[in-house]
Amino acid sequence: MKALARANNIADLRALARRRLPRPIFDYIDGGADDELTLRRNSSAFADYELIPDVLTDVSNIRTETRLFGQEVRWPLMLSPTGLNRMFHPDAELAVARAAARHGLLYGLSTLGTTRIEELAKEFAGPKVFQIYVFKDRGLTAEFVARCKESGFHGLALTVDTPVAGNRERDRVNGLSLPPRLTLKSFMSFALHPGWSLPALTGSKFDFANVSHKVDALASGPMSLFDYIGGQFDRSLTWRDVEWLASEWGGPLAIKGVMTPEDAKHAIASGATGVMISNHGGRQLDSAPAPIDQVAAIRDVLGDGPDVICDGGVRRGADVVKALALGATACSIGRPYLYGLAAGGEAGVDRALSLLLEELERTMILAGINDISGIRARHVRSRGSRR
Ligand SMILES: Cc1cc2nc3c(=O)[nH]c(=O)nc-3n(C[C@H](O)[C@H](O)[C@H](O)COP(=O)(O)O)c2cc1C
Ligand SMILES: CCCCC(=O)C(=O)O
């Protein structure tokens, strides 16, 4: 697609997604909680760090491989789990995973994805983790663990920042429901985007493929995400459950949504092998700090071993170099690849990933860093501490 080739950055892909999707769907991807303070801060916080380059270091060969969730990956960038991908493009999670495979990246499948664990594993041989939301029906969690083992998933990520859905006011205003339905209000928006609306409203069946055999809350008709989460998610979750999950699974496990050094220590003490520093892309607790600002303190208490993944606000390859210089093992992205998916399916995801990885490589070359493992704290400086 010509338009994809003309997209020069993630912001361009966002603009394409905005044009292609009906407003309620675009807003669901793009929006955050309450006043969207955290949503904006997640990205703007990166601008508070400067990159300090070395020169004359022979940057003719750049090594970007690293290990994540115990797996070899080509780049220190993973794809965060996101739900409901079929709502954005009929090729859904498989389109995303195929593009991730082409770039040698680690892929995260969500509990609320629209593709089954087994189907994803059949199509995607690369490194993959399954993200767990714990439902009140605890049998589902044990079942996820068994299915992931059987399907050869390499890791799990337990999301802990979503005891209730955040207050996404754009979704309330738009009357977003699952599945999306035609209402008087949404009619114009759907009618103006037939390329999206016809397949989505008539064609592919939409459901939470990994849970609907046990929880069929949507069977009686469309409902809001707020009501679904409120009715189904288990708010009584504690660190004891992390211990249980770690021993039941026995493999790499990250706690997603950790924001403080204390909780990061707790995660490792409870059996996790890593943390995803995340505020859910600004979609849950508004006013939570930006993940990038928590990286150094969390790495400091955890030492060298555990995976520390900086999740949220990454929109440029340079952001990844900053996070690694502060101590992260890798960064993770959600919206950047979803904008690509909405803009052009697998080719759109591919474009998003290519742009970010080219930027990352170019940044390394310009900063005189020829190996990911050679990124040091001295390569980054907080603007507040400029000497
Ligand atoms: C549309 C959308 C759906 C998401 N669904 C999930 C989900 O099902 N499970 C989860 O743990 N996080 C989910 N997230 C959060 C992402 O995993 C990730 O933390 C966030 O997108 C990172 O911020 P970024 O979008 O700025 O990269 C979702 C995010 C978006 C934008
Ligand atoms: C409220 C959580 C449901 C899916 C999700 O994780 C998201 O939309 O961010």
Side-chain angles (χ1 to χ4, degrees), residues 176-220:
L176 181 75
S177 66
L178 305 175
R181 67 185 152 181
L182 268 177
T183 61
L184 215 52
K185 206 159 154 188
S186 63
F187 177 79
M188 274 312 283
S189 188
F190 285 170
L192 288 170
H193 300 86
W196 177 89
S197 304
L198 289 178
L201 293 172
T202 57
S204 55
K205 179 170 151 30
F206 165 97
D207 75 351
F208 295 125
N210 287 303
V211 304
S212 54
H213 62 291
K214 282 269 177 71
V215 173
D216 62 349
L218 301 182
S220 49

mmCIF file of all heavy atoms in Angstrom, residues 176-220:
data_model
loop_
_atom_site.group_PDB
_atom_site.id
_atom_site.type_symbol
_atom_site.label_atom_id
_atom_site.label_comp_id
_atom_site.label_asym_id
_atom_site.label_seq_id
_atom_site.Cartn_x
_atom_site.Cartn_y
_atom_site.Cartn_z
ATOM 1 N N LEU A 176 -19.067 2.625 23.355
ATOM 2 C CA LEU A 176 -18.421 1.422 22.804
ATOM 3 C C LEU A 176 -18.944 0.166 23.490
ATOM 4 O O LEU A 176 -19.021 0.101 24.711
ATOM 5 C CB LEU A 176 -16.903 1.502 23.007
ATOM 6 C CG LEU A 176 -16.140 0.306 22.436
ATOM 7 C CD1 LEU A 176 -16.067 0.388 20.915
ATOM 8 C CD2 LEU A 176 -14.731 0.222 23.013
ATOM 9 N N SER A 177 -19.311 -0.827 22.693
ATOM 10 C CA SER A 177 -19.757 -2.095 23.279
ATOM 11 C C SER A 177 -18.999 -3.248 22.639
ATOM 12 O O SER A 177 -18.379 -3.098 21.591
ATOM 13 C CB SER A 177 -21.260 -2.284 23.057
ATOM 14 O OG SER A 177 -21.513 -2.430 21.670
ATOM 15 N N LEU A 178 -19.068 -4.394 23.300
ATOM 16 C CA LEU A 178 -18.440 -5.608 22.787
ATOM 17 C C LEU A 178 -19.513 -6.626 22.462
ATOM 18 O O LEU A 178 -20.248 -6.995 23.364
ATOM 19 C CB LEU A 178 -17.506 -6.205 23.847
ATOM 20 C CG LEU A 178 -16.442 -5.268 24.383
ATOM 21 C CD1 LEU A 178 -15.683 -5.933 25.505
ATOM 22 C CD2 LEU A 178 -15.507 -4.857 23.271
ATOM 23 N N PRO A 179 -19.634 -7.122 21.257
ATOM 24 C CA PRO A 179 -18.971 -6.565 20.086
ATOM 25 C C PRO A 179 -19.551 -5.197 19.747
ATOM 26 O O PRO A 179 -20.631 -4.852 20.237
ATOM 27 C CB PRO A 179 -19.283 -7.587 18.995
ATOM 28 C CG PRO A 179 -20.502 -8.307 19.455
ATOM 29 C CD PRO A 179 -20.530 -8.231 20.942
ATOM 30 N N PRO A 180 -18.844 -4.442 18.897
ATOM 31 C CA PRO A 180 -19.367 -3.131 18.516
ATOM 32 C C PRO A 180 -20.708 -3.302 17.818
ATOM 33 O O PRO A 180 -20.915 -4.281 17.112
ATOM 34 C CB PRO A 180 -18.336 -2.597 17.512
ATOM 35 C CG PRO A 180 -17.195 -3.523 17.535
ATOM 36 C CD PRO A 180 -17.612 -4.802 18.182
ATOM 37 N N ARG A 181 -21.629 -2.413 18.031
ATOM 38 C CA ARG A 181 -22.912 -2.539 17.326
ATOM 39 C C ARG A 181 -23.277 -1.190 16.741
ATOM 40 O O ARG A 181 -22.816 -0.141 17.219
ATOM 41 C CB ARG A 181 -23.996 -3.025 18.271
ATOM 42 C CG ARG A 181 -24.284 -2.005 19.302
ATOM 43 C CD ARG A 181 -25.247 -2.417 20.357
ATOM 44 N NE ARG A 181 -24.866 -1.630 21.545
ATOM 45 C CZ ARG A 181 -25.442 -1.710 22.700
ATOM 46 N NH1 ARG A 181 -26.402 -2.553 22.886
ATOM 47 N NH2 ARG A 181 -25.044 -0.952 23.702
ATOM 48 N N LEU A 182 -24.138 -1.281 15.756
ATOM 49 C CA LEU A 182 -24.627 -0.059 15.122
ATOM 50 C C LEU A 182 -25.633 0.605 16.051
ATOM 51 O O LEU A 182 -26.599 -0.014 16.472
ATOM 52 C CB LEU A 182 -25.337 -0.422 13.817
ATOM 53 C CG LEU A 182 -24.484 -0.421 12.556
ATOM 54 C CD1 LEU A 182 -25.322 -0.865 11.368
ATOM 55 C CD2 LEU A 182 -23.895 0.960 12.302
ATOM 56 N N THR A 183 -25.390 1.833 16.396
ATOM 57 C CA THR A 183 -26.380 2.596 17.141
ATOM 58 C C THR A 183 -26.653 3.862 16.336
ATOM 59 O O THR A 183 -25.922 4.166 15.386
ATOM 60 C CB THR A 183 -25.846 3.008 18.522
ATOM 61 O OG1 THR A 183 -24.692 3.830 18.309
ATOM 62 C CG2 THR A 183 -25.467 1.815 19.375
ATOM 63 N N LEU A 184 -27.647 4.592 16.756
ATOM 64 C CA LEU A 184 -27.954 5.848 16.071
ATOM 65 C C LEU A 184 -26.711 6.727 16.034
ATOM 66 O O LEU A 184 -26.350 7.312 15.027
ATOM 67 C CB LEU A 184 -29.074 6.553 16.852
ATOM 68 C CG LEU A 184 -30.074 7.324 16.008
ATOM 69 C CD1 LEU A 184 -30.621 6.418 14.896
ATOM 70 C CD2 LEU A 184 -31.221 7.812 16.904
ATOM 71 N N LYS A 185 -26.010 6.724 17.178
ATOM 72 C CA LYS A 185 -24.861 7.602 17.331
ATOM 73 C C LYS A 185 -23.664 7.163 16.484
ATOM 74 O O LYS A 185 -22.966 7.980 15.895
ATOM 75 C CB LYS A 185 -24.452 7.575 18.809
ATOM 76 C CG LYS A 185 -23.741 8.795 19.267
ATOM 77 C CD LYS A 185 -23.879 8.836 20.770
ATOM 78 C CE LYS A 185 -22.739 9.600 21.390
ATOM 79 N NZ LYS A 185 -22.774 9.477 22.834
ATOM 80 N N SER A 186 -23.446 5.844 16.439
ATOM 81 C CA SER A 186 -22.257 5.365 15.728
ATOM 82 C C SER A 186 -22.513 5.175 14.242
ATOM 83 O O SER A 186 -21.594 4.933 13.473
ATOM 84 C CB SER A 186 -21.780 4.040 16.341
ATOM 85 O OG SER A 186 -22.767 3.051 16.177
ATOM 86 N N PHE A 187 -23.800 5.276 13.832
ATOM 87 C CA PHE A 187 -24.153 4.944 12.449
ATOM 88 C C PHE A 187 -23.312 5.704 11.425
ATOM 89 O O PHE A 187 -22.737 5.116 10.505
ATOM 90 C CB PHE A 187 -25.647 5.220 12.204
ATOM 91 C CG PHE A 187 -26.047 4.969 10.781
ATOM 92 C CD1 PHE A 187 -26.264 3.664 10.328
ATOM 93 C CD2 PHE A 187 -26.176 6.013 9.875
ATOM 94 C CE1 PHE A 187 -26.602 3.423 9.004
ATOM 95 C CE2 PHE A 187 -26.511 5.776 8.550
ATOM 96 C CZ PHE A 187 -26.732 4.477 8.120
ATOM 97 N N MET A 188 -23.218 7.015 11.594
ATOM 98 C CA MET A 188 -22.484 7.822 10.608
ATOM 99 C C MET A 188 -21.026 7.393 10.548
ATOM 100 O O MET A 188 -20.454 7.254 9.475
ATOM 101 C CB MET A 188 -22.564 9.317 10.955
ATOM 102 C CG MET A 188 -23.789 10.003 10.423
ATOM 103 S SD MET A 188 -24.081 9.642 8.684
ATOM 104 C CE MET A 188 -22.858 10.724 7.943
ATOM 105 N N SER A 189 -20.450 7.209 11.712
ATOM 106 C CA SER A 189 -19.039 6.847 11.765
ATOM 107 C C SER A 189 -18.800 5.507 11.074
ATOM 108 O O SER A 189 -17.844 5.337 10.320
ATOM 109 C CB SER A 189 -18.595 6.800 13.225
ATOM 110 O OG SER A 189 -17.220 6.630 13.282
ATOM 111 N N PHE A 190 -19.697 4.545 11.292
ATOM 112 C CA PHE A 190 -19.543 3.248 10.639
ATOM 113 C C PHE A 190 -19.792 3.376 9.134
ATOM 114 O O PHE A 190 -19.071 2.803 8.322
ATOM 115 C CB PHE A 190 -20.497 2.213 11.246
ATOM 116 C CG PHE A 190 -20.054 1.722 12.607
ATOM 117 C CD1 PHE A 190 -20.897 0.955 13.392
ATOM 118 C CD2 PHE A 190 -18.800 2.025 13.100
ATOM 119 C CE1 PHE A 190 -20.494 0.495 14.655
ATOM 120 C CE2 PHE A 190 -18.380 1.570 14.352
ATOM 121 C CZ PHE A 190 -19.242 0.810 15.126
ATOM 122 N N ALA A 191 -20.817 4.157 8.771
ATOM 123 C CA ALA A 191 -21.160 4.305 7.353
ATOM 124 C C ALA A 191 -20.024 4.963 6.578
ATOM 125 O O ALA A 191 -19.798 4.661 5.402
ATOM 126 C CB ALA A 191 -22.444 5.114 7.211
ATOM 127 N N LEU A 192 -19.305 5.836 7.230
ATOM 128 C CA LEU A 192 -18.210 6.549 6.557
ATOM 129 C C LEU A 192 -16.931 5.714 6.461
ATOM 130 O O LEU A 192 -15.973 6.123 5.828
ATOM 131 C CB LEU A 192 -17.898 7.854 7.298
ATOM 132 C CG LEU A 192 -18.944 8.963 7.140
ATOM 133 C CD1 LEU A 192 -18.667 10.107 8.104
ATOM 134 C CD2 LEU A 192 -18.986 9.469 5.703
ATOM 135 N N HIS A 193 -16.914 4.560 7.116
ATOM 136 C CA HIS A 193 -15.732 3.697 7.074
ATOM 137 C C HIS A 193 -16.110 2.284 6.664
ATOM 138 O O HIS A 193 -15.923 1.325 7.421
ATOM 139 C CB HIS A 193 -15.037 3.669 8.452
ATOM 140 C CG HIS A 193 -14.573 5.006 8.906
ATOM 141 N ND1 HIS A 193 -15.379 5.888 9.574
ATOM 142 C CD2 HIS A 193 -13.373 5.634 8.755
ATOM 143 C CE1 HIS A 193 -14.697 6.997 9.833
ATOM 144 N NE2 HIS A 193 -13.485 6.869 9.342
ATOM 145 N N PRO A 194 -16.676 2.147 5.427
ATOM 146 C CA PRO A 194 -17.191 0.831 5.016
ATOM 147 C C PRO A 194 -16.092 -0.232 4.957
ATOM 148 O O PRO A 194 -16.356 -1.406 5.189
ATOM 149 C CB PRO A 194 -17.785 1.098 3.628
ATOM 150 C CG PRO A 194 -17.122 2.349 3.148
ATOM 151 C CD PRO A 194 -16.819 3.163 4.371
ATOM 152 N N GLY A 195 -14.868 0.160 4.665
ATOM 153 C CA GLY A 195 -13.758 -0.806 4.570
ATOM 154 C C GLY A 195 -13.563 -1.525 5.880
ATOM 155 O O GLY A 195 -13.197 -2.690 5.935
ATOM 156 N N TRP A 196 -13.820 -0.847 6.972
ATOM 157 C CA TRP A 196 -13.744 -1.489 8.283
ATOM 158 C C TRP A 196 -15.080 -2.132 8.640
ATOM 159 O O TRP A 196 -15.147 -3.279 9.065
ATOM 160 C CB TRP A 196 -13.380 -0.463 9.371
ATOM 161 C CG TRP A 196 -13.379 -1.096 10.724
ATOM 162 C CD1 TRP A 196 -12.318 -1.704 11.325
ATOM 163 C CD2 TRP A 196 -14.495 -1.249 11.605
ATOM 164 N NE1 TRP A 196 -12.691 -2.224 12.534
ATOM 165 C CE2 TRP A 196 -14.035 -1.958 12.739
ATOM 166 C CE3 TRP A 196 -15.840 -0.867 11.558
ATOM 167 C CZ2 TRP A 196 -14.863 -2.281 13.804
ATOM 168 C CZ3 TRP A 196 -16.672 -1.192 12.627
ATOM 169 C CH2 TRP A 196 -16.174 -1.893 13.729
ATOM 170 N N SER A 197 -16.155 -1.363 8.445
ATOM 171 C CA SER A 197 -17.444 -1.737 9.044
ATOM 172 C C SER A 197 -18.029 -3.024 8.486
ATOM 173 O O SER A 197 -18.550 -3.848 9.235
ATOM 174 C CB SER A 197 -18.462 -0.616 8.845
ATOM 175 O OG SER A 197 -17.961 0.573 9.382
ATOM 176 N N LEU A 198 -17.941 -3.208 7.155
ATOM 177 C CA LEU A 198 -18.626 -4.364 6.588
ATOM 178 C C LEU A 198 -18.045 -5.677 7.094
ATOM 179 O O LEU A 198 -18.784 -6.507 7.628
ATOM 180 C CB LEU A 198 -18.648 -4.267 5.058
ATOM 181 C CG LEU A 198 -19.599 -3.169 4.581
ATOM 182 C CD1 LEU A 198 -19.587 -3.054 3.062
ATOM 183 C CD2 LEU A 198 -21.029 -3.426 5.073
ATOM 184 N N PRO A 199 -16.715 -5.892 6.985
ATOM 185 C CA PRO A 199 -16.186 -7.152 7.531
ATOM 186 C C PRO A 199 -16.447 -7.294 9.025
ATOM 187 O O PRO A 199 -16.794 -8.373 9.515
ATOM 188 C CB PRO A 199 -14.682 -7.071 7.262
ATOM 189 C CG PRO A 199 -14.437 -5.877 6.438
ATOM 190 C CD PRO A 199 -15.693 -5.075 6.335
ATOM 191 N N ALA A 200 -16.317 -6.206 9.757
ATOM 192 C CA ALA A 200 -16.412 -6.309 11.217
ATOM 193 C C ALA A 200 -17.837 -6.581 11.681
ATOM 194 O O ALA A 200 -18.053 -7.335 12.618
ATOM 195 C CB ALA A 200 -15.880 -5.039 11.858
ATOM 196 N N LEU A 201 -18.798 -5.957 11.039
ATOM 197 C CA LEU A 201 -20.172 -6.084 11.532
ATOM 198 C C LEU A 201 -20.886 -7.302 10.957
ATOM 199 O O LEU A 201 -21.855 -7.787 11.527
ATOM 200 C CB LEU A 201 -20.972 -4.817 11.224
ATOM 201 C CG LEU A 201 -20.510 -3.568 11.987
ATOM 202 C CD1 LEU A 201 -21.214 -2.326 11.477
ATOM 203 C CD2 LEU A 201 -20.749 -3.716 13.480
ATOM 204 N N THR A 202 -20.411 -7.793 9.828
ATOM 205 C CA THR A 202 -21.123 -8.911 9.210
ATOM 206 C C THR A 202 -20.290 -10.187 9.175
ATOM 207 O O THR A 202 -20.798 -11.278 9.393
ATOM 208 C CB THR A 202 -21.509 -8.578 7.750
ATOM 209 O OG1 THR A 202 -20.309 -8.246 7.042
ATOM 210 C CG2 THR A 202 -22.468 -7.424 7.686
ATOM 211 N N GLY A 203 -19.012 -10.057 8.923
ATOM 212 C CA GLY A 203 -18.179 -11.219 8.634
ATOM 213 C C GLY A 203 -17.700 -11.959 9.861
ATOM 214 O O GLY A 203 -18.446 -12.706 10.498
ATOM 215 N N SER A 204 -16.442 -11.718 10.229
ATOM 216 C CA SER A 204 -15.791 -12.561 11.224
ATOM 217 C C SER A 204 -16.474 -12.480 12.583
ATOM 218 O O SER A 204 -16.787 -11.406 13.073
ATOM 219 C CB SER A 204 -14.328 -12.138 11.357
ATOM 220 O OG SER A 204 -14.265 -10.765 11.653
ATOM 221 N N LYS A 205 -16.676 -13.642 13.160
ATOM 222 C CA LYS A 205 -17.307 -13.690 14.482
ATOM 223 C C LYS A 205 -16.324 -13.139 15.503
ATOM 224 O O LYS A 205 -15.145 -13.457 15.501
ATOM 225 C CB LYS A 205 -17.655 -15.141 14.809
ATOM 226 C CG LYS A 205 -18.288 -15.340 16.152
ATOM 227 C CD LYS A 205 -18.800 -16.774 16.252
ATOM 228 C CE LYS A 205 -18.817 -17.353 17.664
ATOM 229 N NZ LYS A 205 -19.019 -16.490 18.771
ATOM 230 N N PHE A 206 -16.858 -12.318 16.371
ATOM 231 C CA PHE A 206 -16.005 -11.682 17.351
ATOM 232 C C PHE A 206 -16.260 -12.294 18.718
ATOM 233 O O PHE A 206 -17.386 -12.287 19.197
ATOM 234 C CB PHE A 206 -16.327 -10.179 17.369
ATOM 235 C CG PHE A 206 -15.791 -9.465 18.555
ATOM 236 C CD1 PHE A 206 -14.590 -8.787 18.477
ATOM 237 C CD2 PHE A 206 -16.474 -9.484 19.761
ATOM 238 C CE1 PHE A 206 -14.084 -8.138 19.582
ATOM 239 C CE2 PHE A 206 -15.970 -8.847 20.870
ATOM 240 C CZ PHE A 206 -14.778 -8.177 20.775
ATOM 241 N N ASP A 207 -15.249 -12.868 19.333
ATOM 242 C CA ASP A 207 -15.403 -13.223 20.746
ATOM 243 C C ASP A 207 -14.032 -13.370 21.408
ATOM 244 O O ASP A 207 -13.008 -13.312 20.740
ATOM 245 C CB ASP A 207 -16.279 -14.466 20.950
ATOM 246 C CG ASP A 207 -15.555 -15.764 20.595
ATOM 247 O OD1 ASP A 207 -14.446 -15.704 20.025
ATOM 248 O OD2 ASP A 207 -16.107 -16.830 20.904
ATOM 249 N N PHE A 208 -14.047 -13.503 22.728
ATOM 250 C CA PHE A 208 -12.802 -13.724 23.457
ATOM 251 C C PHE A 208 -12.472 -15.207 23.332
ATOM 252 O O PHE A 208 -12.896 -16.032 24.146
ATOM 253 C CB PHE A 208 -12.945 -13.298 24.919
ATOM 254 C CG PHE A 208 -13.165 -11.817 25.076
ATOM 255 C CD1 PHE A 208 -14.254 -11.331 25.775
ATOM 256 C CD2 PHE A 208 -12.263 -10.894 24.541
ATOM 257 C CE1 PHE A 208 -14.452 -9.969 25.941
ATOM 258 C CE2 PHE A 208 -12.453 -9.529 24.691
ATOM 259 C CZ PHE A 208 -13.543 -9.065 25.390
ATOM 260 N N ALA A 209 -11.669 -15.515 22.309
ATOM 261 C CA ALA A 209 -11.516 -16.900 21.868
ATOM 262 C C ALA A 209 -10.995 -17.839 22.952
ATOM 263 O O ALA A 209 -11.285 -19.030 22.933
ATOM 264 C CB ALA A 209 -10.582 -16.940 20.659
ATOM 265 N N ASN A 210 -10.232 -17.299 23.908
ATOM 266 C CA ASN A 210 -9.603 -18.184 24.901
ATOM 267 C C ASN A 210 -10.416 -18.368 26.176
ATOM 268 O O ASN A 210 -10.035 -19.163 27.035
ATOM 269 C CB ASN A 210 -8.195 -17.670 25.232
ATOM 270 C CG ASN A 210 -7.253 -17.932 24.073
ATOM 271 O OD1 ASN A 210 -7.089 -19.069 23.649
ATOM 272 N ND2 ASN A 210 -6.687 -16.868 23.526
ATOM 273 N N VAL A 211 -11.498 -17.626 26.294
ATOM 274 C CA VAL A 211 -12.290 -17.748 27.527
ATOM 275 C C VAL A 211 -13.762 -18.079 27.275
ATOM 276 O O VAL A 211 -14.468 -18.510 28.181
ATOM 277 C CB VAL A 211 -12.210 -16.465 28.398
ATOM 278 C CG1 VAL A 211 -10.774 -16.120 28.734
ATOM 279 C CG2 VAL A 211 -12.859 -15.279 27.717
ATOM 280 N N SER A 212 -14.221 -17.900 26.035
ATOM 281 C CA SER A 212 -15.675 -17.933 25.811
ATOM 282 C C SER A 212 -16.285 -19.323 26.040
ATOM 283 O O SER A 212 -17.489 -19.432 26.274
ATOM 284 C CB SER A 212 -16.018 -17.421 24.414
ATOM 285 O OG SER A 212 -15.299 -18.139 23.447
ATOM 286 N N HIS A 213 -15.453 -20.385 26.028
ATOM 287 C CA HIS A 213 -16.026 -21.714 26.308
ATOM 288 C C HIS A 213 -16.412 -21.860 27.778
ATOM 289 O O HIS A 213 -17.228 -22.693 28.129
ATOM 290 C CB HIS A 213 -15.034 -22.823 25.916
ATOM 291 C CG HIS A 213 -13.748 -22.762 26.692
ATOM 292 N ND1 HIS A 213 -12.835 -21.757 26.521
ATOM 293 C CD2 HIS A 213 -13.251 -23.557 27.664
ATOM 294 C CE1 HIS A 213 -11.807 -21.960 27.348
ATOM 295 N NE2 HIS A 213 -12.043 -23.036 28.056
ATOM 296 N N LYS A 214 -15.829 -20.997 28.648
ATOM 297 C CA LYS A 214 -16.153 -21.058 30.080
ATOM 298 C C LYS A 214 -17.013 -19.864 30.520
ATOM 299 O O LYS A 214 -17.844 -19.975 31.404
ATOM 300 C CB LYS A 214 -14.843 -21.016 30.895
ATOM 301 C CG LYS A 214 -14.086 -22.325 30.950
ATOM 302 C CD LYS A 214 -14.522 -23.140 32.179
ATOM 303 C CE LYS A 214 -13.860 -24.495 32.253
ATOM 304 N NZ LYS A 214 -12.434 -24.376 32.591
ATOM 305 N N VAL A 215 -16.718 -18.704 29.935
ATOM 306 C CA VAL A 215 -17.402 -17.472 30.348
ATOM 307 C C VAL A 215 -18.075 -16.888 29.113
ATOM 308 O O VAL A 215 -17.403 -16.362 28.236
ATOM 309 C CB VAL A 215 -16.380 -16.449 30.890
ATOM 310 C CG1 VAL A 215 -17.045 -15.118 31.170
ATOM 311 C CG2 VAL A 215 -15.692 -16.982 32.143
ATOM 312 N N ASP A 216 -19.383 -17.029 29.030
ATOM 313 C CA ASP A 216 -20.017 -16.494 27.824
ATOM 314 C C ASP A 216 -20.910 -15.300 28.157
ATOM 315 O O ASP A 216 -22.072 -15.216 27.793
ATOM 316 C CB ASP A 216 -20.763 -17.578 27.041
ATOM 317 C CG ASP A 216 -21.897 -18.178 27.846
ATOM 318 O OD1 ASP A 216 -21.948 -17.895 29.060
ATOM 319 O OD2 ASP A 216 -22.709 -18.906 27.263
ATOM 320 N N ALA A 217 -20.275 -14.342 28.857
ATOM 321 C CA ALA A 217 -21.013 -13.160 29.296
ATOM 322 C C ALA A 217 -21.598 -12.382 28.124
ATOM 323 O O ALA A 217 -22.597 -11.683 28.273
ATOM 324 C CB ALA A 217 -20.100 -12.257 30.120
ATOM 325 N N LEU A 218 -20.969 -12.522 26.943
ATOM 326 C CA LEU A 218 -21.443 -11.746 25.802
ATOM 327 C C LEU A 218 -22.603 -12.437 25.075
ATOM 328 O O LEU A 218 -23.189 -11.871 24.161
ATOM 329 C CB LEU A 218 -20.296 -11.507 24.803
ATOM 330 C CG LEU A 218 -19.073 -10.758 25.339
ATOM 331 C CD1 LEU A 218 -18.040 -10.562 24.229
ATOM 332 C CD2 LEU A 218 -19.470 -9.407 25.918
ATOM 333 N N ALA A 219 -22.921 -13.671 25.509
ATOM 334 C CA ALA A 219 -23.930 -14.446 24.780
ATOM 335 C C ALA A 219 -25.291 -13.758 24.782
ATOM 336 O O ALA A 219 -26.047 -13.846 23.814
ATOM 337 C CB ALA A 219 -24.044 -15.841 25.390
ATOM 338 N N SER A 220 -25.581 -13.035 25.862
ATOM 339 C CA SER A 220 -26.914 -12.439 25.951
ATOM 340 C C SER A 220 -26.980 -11.067 25.278
ATOM 341 O O SER A 220 -27.964 -10.358 25.431
ATOM 342 C CB SER A 220 -27.324 -12.338 27.423
ATOM 343 O OG SER A 220 -26.266 -11.753 28.145
#
